Amino acid sequence: MLDSAGDRSLTLLSAGPGAGKTVLLADWVRRGSAQVAWLNPTPADAEPRRFWRLLESALRVSHGVARGPSAPAPRGAGVDLIQTLFSQVPESAGRLVVIVDDAHVLTHPEVLAGLDGLIRGGQPGLRLILAARSDPLLPLHRYRLAGQMHELRAADLAMT
């Protein structure tokens, strides 16, 4: 199911604790060939500057973004920062897969607005996978209507 959703900008994996979200994603990454930036934000990382720095660090490690001074992160400029970071990713990296595990901790309006902008803005080559215990505070109905989102729920993870 994760492979079949590759053409969408957002994959939402929403299920309760212990349902196997992280195990599924780790196995999918291990078996696949995509380069993945994986973030595990804590509640303290929900603050905009910390979240964008966490994403920047994950991109530097996984996609070979050039080392050097960090991109500036002025207040409210999350999307600008991310677009700057993605512009530094080598063309040869192909499609970018960014996994945000425990995405339910992201509640700050600026972080949510930045993620919304990335999803709706159609950043070329970006695939965002959000794994959460509950639906993130994003306009999911808009993504569904626009055909930008694939959803996996607890029933999809259940053993049969």
Side-chain angles (χ1 to χ4, degrees), residues 34-35 63 86 89-97 124-127:
Q35 288 194 1
H63 292 92
F86 286 140
V89 175
E91 295 279 331
S92 62
R95 189 157 174 88
L96 301 175
V97 178
L126 171 65
R127 179 177 180 193

Side-chain angles (χ1 to χ4, degrees), residues 2-53:
L2 287 171
D3 289 333
S4 67
D7 61 337
R8 309 265 171 84
S9 359
L10 173 64
T11 299
L12 174 63
L13 183 54
S14 182
K21 301 177 295 293
T22 302
V23 171
L24 170 67
L25 290 171
D27 187 58
W28 179 74
V29 168
R30 185 179 50 81
R31 292 175 188 244
S33 60
Q35 288 194 1
V36 175
W38 189 303
L39 290 78
N40 278 83
T42 64
D45 295 324
E47 187 273 324
R49 287 179 186 255
R50 286 185 62 156
F51 177 76
W52 300 125
R53 294 289 186 222

